[in-house]
């Protein structure tokens, strides 16, 4: 199948666009948004979208710029025929028309024929969404260049495998029955297992269900078994408890018997012990009686001794008492004597001496006070004189006019100011002097005597006599007036001040001031003297002195009346003398008194001590006499009670005998008790009691256990647990058998299925090889001649595409591990290889469209990519490349179609695509100078033009030379230098178009 | 043959029915078919009617059940009721001792309130003998040796070994020992918990030992018998095994008893092991089963064990036959141990046919099969069979 031309109308942004395809290679270039992809998509739609397709498929292709329905006409060759298909897309009324060898087909028939010719049917309706999958192995949509091509290839696996098988010739092919049986086992397998080989949990999976059932039943068995076991255990437990109860019961009986015996023996011991106690009591009573009797005996003896001792002790005590009485009487007499002499004599004398002394002291005091009074009175006189002076001065000061310091200053100032004002006035005023006149001269009415003068300060009138009047006006104008008024003012002030003070003149004021000052000075002097004398204190002292004298005098009066023969001394000397004498006498008498008192005290103390002793002795004697009386009474009582000495002695002997008897009885009983070993018996009793308790509790426990077991054994009887267990076990066993049967069958199926897979893969591997070979052919152009590609093709997939890159030491690269660029290149190689194989079903040609499919590839690689595409075109494929960068494909042989952005509203004929070169007649291949096809676009790119051209020439010449030639001969025929020849040769070698051979200098031949 | 009624009447001989191992309530768990299970259970009660008939027909004085009246100590209430009703219809007293399945002691069915109620209500003629002490009837003395839980491994007969055990018994009445368990020296009984040592028993003092536990009718000595179960309940293990009987015992003090078998069973249990090699064997198998059941429908149970190695085609044929063969049976237990291996012709067909993939797979399977000591031999042969079957158009 080969595209010839196409016309697109009203298709999205295309108003109308017509394109002719080169039979081998067409490059459509143009900037983005020029409609390259749309154009190629429109052609795809023309081939594979049903004309009646509607919905999204239709709305997508409708033009929003131009009215009219989308219309696509594609002209192509297929199955040896030239066809033209025209589709107008307008939903249900869309039309499809196929013209072929003079016949026309329309509608569904046209679509059918198209499908037959292309090998894949057009889609419409709901299937329209699958449109992009049509020929997606040949049509590399924009953005799909680097995608794993396996999916696209897998859909064509069947044809691909068939073609590969045919290529391989006698290869073994699976039969239809093979396929059917394998498929049957695959399906059977998937009934039981997941893709990963696990047991599938799908509903209806017998294996899974059986397994589930088995597990469930086994769980049920366990449950039932547990129930039965519980019952069984309960029975065992019941029996155990029963046995325990019985055994313990027997033990208990035995224990109780033992206990009874022990208790009985203990009771006997108790009885004996009571008897012993009785006897012990009697013994104790006897003992007590005896002891009492003995005690009485002792008491009587003691009493007797005591009385004797007391009687003996009384004699000396009474004698001592008599002596003491005598001593007391004598001492009392001495003391009385002492006391009377002191009072009568010494005391009187001492008092008289003391009185005299006191009187003398008073006299001295009175005398001294008199002296003081006299002195003070004189001083007070002086004070009173000064006080009179002070009063005078003060009166004088009061009488003087009062001029303050400030007033004085002011007066002086005003006087001075007046003087200067007068001087000034004088200077200005006129002097009227009467030198000689017969007439009375008056100035302003005041007469001025001859020789006198008047000073006038203002206009005045001088009258001389009666008739002469002269007006005198002093000079100076107003200043005279001013000076006069100032003076007046000053004088007025002064006069005011003087008036205020109360004087008439300045002199008065000043002298008053001076006088006052002097007086004040005197006053201060007097005050100072007064202060020195301190009159107040003087008067006070005088008062005190007088009081002292008066008091002393009154005392003297009082005392002197008592003193006989008292003569008042006259002066101080006498007083002093007499005082000294009196003092000595008082001292002497006091000593004397003290000695007497001391003696009396001593005597008194002795006397007191003797009296104390006497009392003590008297008390002791009294006590002894009382004790003696008591002891005698006691003795008589005791003797009365206990009988006489004989009777007591007999009783004591009797008591001793009785006690011995009781002691013997007690010993006998205690021996008997000891024989019973009561302590051991008590221990035994404890032991048996404990055992009894323990056993009883154990029996109780056993009874409880029995009850519990019985409760467990009781059940409602609605079902038989044993039967249930049996049934469940059998059911589980059955389920297990069933599971095993299914398990075996499932595994048998798995076994067969896996063998089918293995064997089929083995077959598949055989045709994977030629496919890998073909892909490698293309890949080597890019990745180097030593690289290779491995791929595994099986019935329903293209497993792994692996690149062995020679550059990296034959390293293995999985497709997905490659770089973006390498992916694009390898994917292109796979597509080209597959297309080449599939082309055999399509007259040896298929178009392969690359829409901007190498965007990730380096510029350096683009040359190799172009070589690969060129190689594909040489192998019969029609290559169509869309690119937005024309320079990338500058060196590509083939037709270049340049697209410009469409202009809205342009005439249809003007939007016709610019196409270059020829549109047909390319059949003779190598004879064509491919470069000519690019003439319109190749300027400036000439430097890159050589290579493909060189390759063409190389191949053409080699073919003309019979397909092979020696290197040297060929190089000479081409007329190239060594480098150019080798370069071209290596490129062709890498493309696999030529191969090297032997011979002198080496040879090349066409593949 | 029982002696005539006249002789019995004239000579003071007494008769009784000896039976055992009714195992009422047996679940028959190993029977997969629920309906068959239910029928088997029901039949055990229904067959009591045959015992009742025999007792009446032969004017037996009483019936003794030598243990295992119930299959377990925990029968459900309806089973208990049905049993009591059936026993109640027997016109004579029925003396029962507990066996190892329904042994006395704690948790025993015979101590349960419900049982006692039902017994009192429906079967007042049923006497459960739980104590090892003589029970005197009008015509005989029964010496019971009940199985009591907790006395396992102990000989229930032991009380009869005591000095003077028989001293106080009436001298004219026959003495019947009633016991359940394995008799030493006879290992026919299966895993019984109770062992009975007959050698220590003073046989001069007893006239008959009625034993239970062994489900086939078995004579140990002239005086000592296992009656077997009244209704067969298992596939026979040996040719001599005869179940589904009760014994009519005629006895008198100091004489040997006269024992007669009376058939009471209604179901037929068979065990067959058949070798299959070729197609004819399959046909033969069909015939054999037909012969076993004769004209009966729904009353036979067969345990069929198939052995041998057959070709794929014979195997397929066998499968078809087996699908139809069970229709007249109450139950078929198939133990199919047949090895299906393709024969030469089949192998050739598979391995050298026109289908290369199938041929390869078949070859690989054959290789796996012939690999010595292959663990999954059955799986591989199954795989081959499935492949063959699929190739024969057996895919669906």
């Amino acid at each position: 199948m080969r595209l010839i031309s196409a016309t697109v109308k009203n298709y999205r942004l295309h108003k109308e666009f017509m394109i002719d395809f080169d039979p081998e290679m067409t490059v459509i270039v143009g900037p983005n948004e020029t409609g390259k992809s749309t154009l190629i998509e429109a052609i795809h739609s023309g081939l594979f979208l049903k004309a009646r397709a509607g919905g999204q498929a239709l709305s997508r292709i409708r033009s929003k710029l131009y009215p009219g329905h989308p219309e696509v006409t594609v002209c192509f060759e297929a199955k040896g025929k030239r066809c033209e298909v025209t589709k107008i897309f307008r939903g249900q009324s869309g039309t499809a028309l196929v013209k072929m060898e003079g016949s026309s087909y329309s509608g569904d028939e046209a679509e059918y024929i198209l499908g037959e010719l292309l090998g894949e049917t057009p889609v419409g309706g709901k299937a329209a969404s699958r449109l992009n999958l049509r020929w997606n192995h040949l049509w590399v949509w924009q953005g799909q260049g680097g995608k794993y091509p396996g999916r696209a290839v897998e859909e064509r696996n069947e044809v691909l495998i068939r073609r590969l098988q045919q290529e391989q010739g006698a290869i073994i092919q699976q039969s239809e029955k093979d396929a059917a049986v394998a498929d049957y086992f695959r399906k059977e397998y998937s009934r039981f297992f997941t893709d990963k080989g696990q047991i599938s949990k799908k509903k209806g999976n017998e294996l899974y269900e059986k397994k589930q059932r088995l597990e469930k039943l086994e769980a049920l068995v366990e449950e039932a078994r547990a129930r039965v076991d519980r019952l069984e255990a309960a029975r065992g437990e019941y029996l155990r408890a029963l046995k325990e109860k019985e055994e313990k019961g027997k033990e208990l009986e035995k224990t109780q018997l033992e206990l009874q015996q022990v208790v009985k023996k203990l009771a006997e011991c108790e009885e004996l012990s009571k008897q012993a106690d009785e006897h012990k009591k009697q013994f104790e009573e006897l003992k007590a009686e005896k002891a009492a009797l003995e005690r009485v005996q002792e008491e009587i003896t003691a009493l007797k001794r005591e009385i004797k001792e007391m009687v003996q002790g009384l004699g000396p005590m009474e004698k001592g008492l008599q002596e003491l009485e005598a001593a007391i009487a004598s001492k009392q007499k001495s003391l009385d004597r002492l006391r009377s002499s002191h009072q009568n004599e010494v005391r009187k004398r001492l008092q008289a001496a003391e009185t005299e002394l006191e009187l003398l002291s008073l006299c001295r005091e009175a005398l001294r006070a008199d002296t003081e009074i006299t002195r003070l009175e004189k001083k007070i006189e002086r004070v009173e004189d000064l006080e009179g002076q002070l009063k005078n001065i003060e009166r004088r000061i009061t009488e003087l006019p009062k001029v303050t310091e400030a007033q004085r200053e002011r007066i002086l100032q005003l006087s001075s100011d007046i003087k200067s004002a007068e001087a000034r006035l004088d200077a200005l005023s006129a002097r009227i002097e009467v030198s000689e006149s017969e007439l009375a001269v008056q100035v302003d009415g005041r007469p001025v005597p001859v020789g006198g003068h008047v000073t006038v300060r203002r206009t005045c009138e001088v009258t001389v006599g009666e008739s002469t009047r002269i007006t005198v006006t002093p000079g100076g104008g107003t200043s005279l007036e001013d000076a006069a008024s100032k003076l007046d003012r000053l004088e007025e002030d002064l006069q005011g001040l003087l008036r205020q003070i109360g004087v008439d003149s300045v002199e008065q004021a000043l002298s008053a001031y001076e006088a006052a000052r002097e007086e004040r000075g005197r006053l201060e002097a007097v005050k100072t003297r007064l202060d020195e004398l301190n009159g107040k204190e003087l008067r006070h002292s005088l008062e005190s002195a007088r009081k002292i004298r008066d008091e002393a005098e009154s005392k003297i009066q009082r005392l002197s009346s008592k003193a006989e023969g008292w003569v008042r001394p006259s002066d101080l000397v006498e007083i002093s003398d007499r005082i000294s004498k009196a003092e000595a006498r008082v001292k002497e008498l006091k000593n004397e008194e003290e000695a007497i008192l001391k003696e009396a005290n001593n005597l008194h103390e002795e006397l007191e001590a003797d009296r104390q002793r006497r009392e003590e002795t008297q008390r002791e004697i009294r006590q002894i006499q009382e004790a003696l009386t008591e002891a005698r009474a006691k003795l008589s009582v005791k003797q009365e009670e206990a009988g006489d000495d004989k009777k007591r002695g007999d009783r004591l002997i009797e008591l001793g005998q009785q006690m011995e008897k009781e002691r013997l009885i007690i010993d006998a009983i205690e021996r008997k008790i000891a024989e019973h070993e009561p302590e051991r018996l008590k221990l035994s009793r404890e032991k048996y009691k404990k055992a009894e308790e323990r056993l009883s509790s154990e029996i109780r426990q056993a009874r409880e256990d029995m009850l519990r077991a019985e409760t467990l054994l009781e059940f409602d009887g609605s079902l038989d647990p044993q039967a249930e267990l049996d049934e469940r076990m059998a059911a589980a066993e059955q389920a297990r058998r069933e599971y095993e049967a299914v398990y075996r069958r499932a595994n048998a199926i798995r076994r067969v299925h896996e063998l089918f897979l293995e064997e089929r893969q083995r077959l598949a591997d055989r045709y994977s090889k030629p496919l890998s070979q073909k892909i490698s052919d293309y890949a080597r152009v890019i990745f180097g001649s030593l690289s290779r590609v491995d791929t595994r093709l099986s019935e329903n997939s293209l497993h792994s595409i692996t690149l062995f890159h020679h550059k990296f030491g034959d390293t293995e690269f999985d497709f997905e591990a490659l770089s973006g660029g390498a992916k694009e290149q390898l994917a292109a190689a796979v597509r080209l290889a597959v297309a080449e194989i599939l082309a055999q079903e399509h007259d040896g040609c298929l178009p392969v469209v690359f829409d901007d499919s190498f965007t990730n590839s380096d510029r350096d690689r683009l040359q190799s990519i172009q070589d690969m595409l060129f190689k594909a075109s040489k192998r019969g494929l029609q290559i169509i490349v869309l690119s937005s960068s024309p320079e990338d494909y500058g060196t590509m042989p083939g037709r270049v179609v340049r697209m410009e952005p469409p202009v809205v509203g342009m005439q249809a004929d003007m939007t016709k695509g610019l196409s270059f070169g020829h549109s047909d007649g390319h059949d003779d291949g190598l004879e064509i100078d491919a470069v000519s096809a690019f003439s319109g676009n190749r300027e400036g790119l000439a430097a890159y033009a050589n290579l493909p051209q060189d390759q063409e020439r190389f191949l053409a010449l080699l073919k003309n030379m019979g397909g092979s030639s020696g290197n040297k001969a060929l190089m000479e025929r081409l007329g190239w230098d060594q480098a150019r020849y080798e370069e071209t040769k290596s490129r062709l070698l890498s493309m696999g178009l030529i191969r090297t051979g032997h011979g002198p200098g080496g040879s090349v031949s066409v593949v | 043959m029982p002696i005539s009624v006249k002789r019995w009447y004239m000579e003071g001989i007494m008769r009784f029915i000896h039976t055992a191992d009714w195992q009422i309530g047996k679940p028959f768990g190993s029977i997969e078919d629920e309906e068959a299970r239910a029928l088997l259970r029901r039949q055990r009660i229904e067959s009591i009617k045959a015992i009742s008939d025999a007792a009446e027909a032969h004017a037996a004085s009483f019936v003794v059940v030598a243990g295992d009246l119930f299959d377990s100590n925990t029968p459900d209430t309806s089973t208990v009721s049905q049993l009591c009703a059936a026993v109640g219809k027997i016109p004579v007293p029925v003396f029962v001792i507990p066996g190892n399945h329904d042994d006395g002691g704690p948790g025993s069915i015979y101590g349960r309130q419900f049982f006692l109620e039902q017994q009192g209500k429906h079967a007042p003629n049923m006497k459960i003998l739980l104590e090892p002490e003589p029970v005197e009837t009008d015509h005989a003395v029964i010496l019971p040796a009940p199985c009591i839980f907790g006395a396992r491994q102990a000989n229930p007969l032991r009380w009869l070994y005591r000095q003077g055990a028989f001293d106080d018994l009436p001298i004219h009445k026959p003495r019947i020992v009633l016991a359940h368990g394995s008799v030493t020296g006879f290992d026919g009984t299966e895993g019984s918990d109770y062992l009975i040592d007959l050698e220590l028993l003073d046989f001069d003092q007893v006239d008959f030992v009625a034993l239970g536990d062994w489900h086939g009718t078995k004579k140990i000595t002239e005086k000592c018998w296992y009656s077997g179960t009244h209704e067969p309940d298992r596939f026979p293990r040996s040719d001599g095994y005869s179940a589904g009987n009760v014994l009519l015992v005629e006895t008198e003090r100091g004489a040997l008893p006269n024992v007669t078998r009376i058939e009471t069973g209604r179901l037929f249990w068979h065990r067959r092991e058949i070798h299959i090699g070729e197609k004819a064997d399959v046909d033969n198998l069909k015939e054999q089963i037909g012969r076993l059941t004769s004209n009966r429908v729904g009353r036979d149970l067969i345990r069929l064990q198939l052995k041998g190695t057959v070709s794929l085609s014979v195997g397929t044929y066998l499968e078809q036959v087996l699908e139809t063969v069970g229709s007249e049976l109450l139950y078929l237990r198939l133990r199919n141990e047949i090895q299906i291996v393709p024969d030469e012709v089949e192998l050739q067909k598979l391995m050298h046919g026109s289908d290369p993939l199938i041929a390869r797979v078949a070859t690989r399977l054959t290789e796996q099969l012939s690999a010595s000591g292959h663990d999954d031999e059955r799986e591989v042969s199954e795989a081959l069979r499935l492949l063959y079957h699929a190739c024969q158009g057996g895919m669906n």
Side-chain angles (χ1 to χ4, degrees), chain A residues 172-173 175 177-178 184 235 238-239 713 715 717 720-721 727 730 734 737 744 747 751 758-759 762, chain B residues 29 32 41 72 74 76-77 103-104 106 112 149-150 335 355-358 360 364 368 376 378-379 391:
Chain A
I172 298 167
Q173 256 175 281
S175 68
K177 190 170 172 184
D178 277 337
Y184 165 74
R235 288 190 96 183
Y238 182 89
L239 271 188
L713 283 169
F715 68 111
D720 182 348
E727 281 180 21
Q734 178 64 21
R737 272 200 300 272
R744 192 164 54 242
N747 277 307
R751 193 178 284 267
E758 278 176 33
E759 289 304 323
R762 205 199 297 239
Chain B
E32 301 88 338
R41 277 201 296 267
S72 77
T74 50
D76 60 44
T77 47
D103 49 2
R112 275 188 215 297
F149 178 77
R335 290 285 173 265
D355 308 303
L357 213 51
I358 292 170
R360 278 292 306 158
R364 298 271 309 270
Q368 286 179 0
D376 306 325
R378 289 191 71 180
E379 189 188 302
C391 291

Side-chain angles (χ1 to χ4, degrees), chain B residues 62 64 95 129 133-137 140-144 174 176 178:
Chain B
F62 51 79
V64 292
F95 295 98
L129 310 179
E133 57 190 25
V135 176
E136 196 176 337
T137 74
V141 175
I142 298 169
L143 304 167
I176 299 147
L178 192 53

Side-chain angles (χ1 to χ4, degrees), chain A residues 607-797:
Chain A
L607 191 61
E608 282 305 303
D610 284 349
R611 279 180 183 146
Q612 189 91 26
R613 254 200 313 280
R614 184 185 61 189
E615 260 173 45
E616 276 169 19
T617 311
Q618 281 171 339
R619 199 164 53 240
E620 272 174 40
I621 290 168
R622 241 187 345 265
Q623 278 173 355
I624 290 168
Q625 281 170 339
E626 277 168 18
L628 196 59
T629 312
E630 200 183 336
R632 280 179 181 141
K634 255 188 199 168
L635 182 62
S636 74
V637 168
K638 295 269 178 201
Q639 279 175 338
E640 210 169 298
E641 274 175 7
D644 58 13
D645 291 354
K646 163 84 174 60
K647 201 177 162 192
R648 288 201 306 271
D650 291 350
R651 179 63 186 155
L652 272 174
I653 291 161
E654 190 190 340
L655 283 171
Q657 283 166 348
Q658 278 178 0
M659 276 167 71
E660 182 57 23
K661 200 174 139 197
E662 285 300 318
R663 204 178 52 74
L664 285 174
I665 294 170
I666 290 166
D667 283 354
I669 293 172
E670 282 182 342
R671 260 200 308 283
K672 222 171 173 182
I673 291 173
E675 275 165 18
H676 274 82
E677 293 181 87
E679 287 314 306
R680 196 184 54 79
L681 281 176
K682 274 179 195 161
L683 281 176
S684 298
R685 186 180 57 190
E686 281 310 298
K687 192 179 80 186
Y688 289 130
K689 268 189 179 165
K690 272 190 185 153
E692 189 185 22
E693 267 172 41
R694 176 175 56 78
L695 287 168
S696 301
S697 131
E698 279 169 354
I699 289 166
R700 221 165 27 245
Q701 184 60 47
R703 281 212 187 93
E704 280 167 22
D705 289 349
M706 278 167 71
L707 263 176
R708 218 178 359 260
E710 272 182 327
T711 316
L712 282 172
L713 283 169
E714 269 168 26
F715 68 111
D716 63 0
S718 58
L719 88 167
D720 182 348
Q722 184 63 49
E724 187 186 48
L725 173 61
D726 288 352
E727 281 180 21
R728 284 183 179 182
M729 275 170 73
E733 175 58 24
Q734 178 64 21
R736 199 179 56 76
R737 272 200 300 272
E738 284 174 15
Y739 168 69
E740 279 172 0
V742 177
Y743 181 78
R744 192 164 54 242
R745 188 152 61 84
N747 277 307
I749 286 165
R750 183 213 289 264
R751 193 178 284 267
V752 176
H753 169 64
E754 283 170 354
L755 283 174
F756 265 109
L757 286 183
E758 278 176 33
E759 289 304 323
R760 190 176 266 183
Q761 188 56 52
R762 205 199 297 239
L763 283 182
D765 285 349
R766 295 198 193 170
Y767 38 75
S768 295
K769 219 175 263 174
L771 177 64
S772 299
Q773 185 61 47
K774 273 238 154 51
I775 298 170
S776 301
D777 278 355
Y778 284 106
R780 277 189 199 114
V781 179
I782 290 165
F783 300 107
S785 59
L786 294 173
S787 301
R788 72 191 157 83
V789 175
D790 250 18
T791 181
R792 289 186 74 196
L793 189 64
S794 72
E795 207 148 343
N796 42 20
S797 68

Side-chain angles (χ1 to χ4, degrees), chain B residues 291-340:
Chain B
R291 274 204 301 278
L292 272 180
T293 58
S294 60
N295 297 323
R296 294 187 298 264
V297 174
R299 281 174 64 192
D300 290 81
L301 299 93
I302 298 176
R303 183 186 188 283
L304 185 58
Q305 192 167 14
L306 298 179
K307 289 188 168 170
T309 305
V310 298
S311 67
L312 299 175
S313 58
V314 174
T316 309
Y317 178 60
L318 176 64
E319 254 182 22
Q320 289 164 4
V321 168
L322 287 175
E323 266 170 32
T324 57
V325 84
S327 61
E328 291 175 334
L329 301 173
L330 172 58
Y331 171 65
L332 169 66
R333 176 174 299 167
L334 185 63
R335 290 285 173 265
N336 191 348
E337 289 161 26
I338 297 274
Q339 275 262 47
I340 300 171

